[in-house]
Amino acid sequence: MTDSRDLRLYDIARPSNREGLPIVSLDEAHAPNKVLAHPDLVRAFAAGEEFRPIHMRIGIMGACNMRCNFCNFHSPNEEQFYDRFSFKDSIKTDAAIRLMREFAATGGRAVTFCGSGECTIHPGYVEICEAAHEAGLRIGLITNGSRLSDPKIADCIARTHTWVRIGLNAGSEDNFKRITRDRDDTFPTFENTPRTLREAAVDPDFRVGFNYVITAENHTEVRAAAELAGRSGAHYVRFEPEFYSALGHQTVDEQMAEISAALDDVAALSTDSFEVSIPKLDRGAMDQVEEVEGDFEHCHYSRFVTAVGADGNLYPCPQVHLNSRYLIGNVLEDGYLQVLEGGKRAEWEASNPSRTDLCKSCFYRPQNELLEWLRRGHINLDEALSSYQIEIPRTLHADFV
């Protein structure tokens, strides 16, 4: 058994790059050991007891007003994996509101609007968010940023949201348009939108930042993008390499040395008020490969977080939503709690092969390894929770595990 006193919890629950690549540095809002901020749930997990997810990731529509070159849902690299995706899918406003209320009433604490499409173009986005907020849910948004200048959307975010993450994905307007097919002149708004949202937000923990997917087309603009993010008033810029389930990060393998050098360069732009998040650069493919990454046998993270697609179905996590192999049941037709506890989830888990057959690599590997080691007893539970409390007495966005 490993002595937990020899292990720093932060180092256990964090991704790492191989030698020669930049040190992974995650912004505070995305720390992967945040599950330890919920001792009641972690103790229940370690004891093998049942509990309900506290965070829902949901896509309320499949349509998007951009066509990013790297988008998984429109890529020929993913035609087989995301077989449930349809840009025509959309959860009706009244159904989404019912789901938000049911989730909150059954233990839910936070909801992130993301998904395969752009949630802010849903005609009921404001109404859905207001209902979710009224029900007591904290709200996060992953967006392409095109509607953040709309007064109704901006006002809704200021009143109800806890955080917003915007897709930057280029360091120049011309390249942004080439990569995203944007037709709304979105890129110029990035200079001011974060600061405007930040100044208007009601939630004292409000955070707004950028996400930058590194591709062969934009890897030379990493520095320009980081500088833009820094002067925009954003709290952070988060980089991640292009990823496909069957390819991993192979599309940027040839540029990896340049990407690594660029990330080493921009890491120095971090300040006390602005974080530059350096990603894991060598994550392997998830599908159609033999090698299995990670020291865990089952997906434990899906006990804490769940995902709903624009097709209305519940999935174990957002990485695999809209794949029929992971479909658990339709929460719009049968009800969220009925799918979660009425037998359908248990049936899926009983028939589902081990993660070594389905999820050979995992975006949530650090969380799953930490939970597995706690369950195995490789890490002492009481010491882990106590050490975390001392290291991080107040967890930012704790309910967004």
Side-chain angles (χ1 to χ4, degrees), residues 102-389:
E102 185 177 7
F103 179 60
T106 53
R109 304 177 192 176
V111 59
T112 295
F113 290 100
C114 48
S116 54
E118 172 53 41
C119 291
T120 61
I121 66 172
H122 190 293
Y125 184 74
V126 170
E127 189 177 351
I128 293 166
C129 289
E130 288 176 343
H133 182 69
E134 184 179 348
L137 296 173
R138 304 193 82 182
I139 300 172
L141 169 65
I142 299 174
T143 175
N144 62 27
S146 62
R147 294 294 181 267
L148 298 182
S149 298
D150 181 322
K152 291 183 179 179
I153 299 294
D155 176 67
C156 171
I157 289 172
R159 290 184 291 102
T160 66
H161 285 43
T162 296
W163 59 265
V164 176
R165 194 167 83 215
I166 307 165
L168 180 51
N169 306 318
S172 65
E173 183 173 4
D174 288 345
N175 207 22
F176 183 83
K177 288 183 176 180
R178 278 193 295 270
I179 290 172
T180 67
R181 278 75 162 180
D182 176 46
R183 294 174 294 180
D184 296 315
D185 294 323
T186 301
F187 189 84
T189 69
F190 292 161
E191 290 278 355
N192 300 305
T193 295
R195 183 173 290 103
T196 300
L197 293 176
R198 189 170 176 171
E199 292 174 351
V202 172
D203 192 328
D205 288 334
F206 182 80
R207 294 292 185 276
V208 56
F210 287 108
N211 191 74
Y212 191 101
V213 178
I214 306 170
T215 72
E217 294 176 276
N218 67 14
H219 73 281
T220 61
E221 296 186 339
V222 164
R223 176 83 189 193
E227 290 176 346
L228 186 160
R231 64 178 180 265
S232 73
H235 290 89
Y236 64 87
V237 59
R238 178 178 185 257
F239 291 97
E240 60 176 326
E242 185 175 33
F243 179 84
Y244 292 111
S245 62
L247 298 175
H249 300 316
Q250 291 178 17
T251 59
V252 289
D253 276 352
E254 292 184 4
Q255 293 83 24
M256 194 59 75
E258 296 173 71
I259 292 169
S260 180
L263 291 173
D264 276 334
D265 175 47
V266 298
L269 297 177
S270 288
T271 67
D272 290 341
S273 59
F274 176 68
E275 296 178 274
V276 177
S277 177
I278 306 300
K280 180 175 175 61
L281 291 168
D282 58 352
R283 178 167 161 241
M286 187 175 70
D287 199 33
Q288 301 175 31
V289 293
E290 296 301 323
E291 184 177 356
V292 177
E293 298 180 12
D295 182 22
F296 63 99
E297 296 178 359
H298 301 284
C299 178
H300 305 302
Y301 186 60
S302 61
R303 298 283 306 280
F304 298 81
V305 182
T306 194
V308 175
D311 60 352
N313 285 300
L314 189 75
Y315 296 88
C317 89
Q319 182 181 4
V320 298
H321 88 300
L322 301 181
N323 181 311
S324 58
R325 290 181 295 173
Y326 298 86
L327 189 156
I328 295 175
N330 194 293
V331 297
L332 304 183
E333 296 174 359
D334 302 325
Y336 168 72
L337 197 59
Q338 182 64 24
V339 173
L340 189 72
E341 297 182 347
K344 290 191 176 183
R345 182 182 176 118
E347 289 175 9
W348 182 85
E349 291 183 346
S351 62
N352 176 42
S354 67
R355 53 94 33 175
T356 56
D357 292 326
L358 287 177
C359 302
K360 293 183 174 67
S361 77
C362 175
F363 190 80
Y364 306 103
R365 171 181 174 175
Q367 292 93 327
N368 275 314
E369 283 190 334
L370 174 60
L371 290 166
E372 179 109 350
W373 292 3
L374 285 168
R375 175 163 283 184
R376 290 179 188 172
H378 291 349
I379 304 173
N380 180 276
L381 177 61
D382 290 329
E383 290 183 14
L385 294 173
S386 177
S387 297
Y388 181 85
Q389 183 62 38

Side-chain angles (χ1 to χ4, degrees), residues 52-72:
R52 296 165 181 166
I54 62 171
H55 180 195
M56 177 183 287
R57 298 277 297 268
I58 183 170
I60 52 178
M61 66 186 313
C64 183
N65 56 334
M66 293 188 188
R67 281 293 182 273
C68 299
N69 291 352
F70 55 81
C71 179
N72 295 68

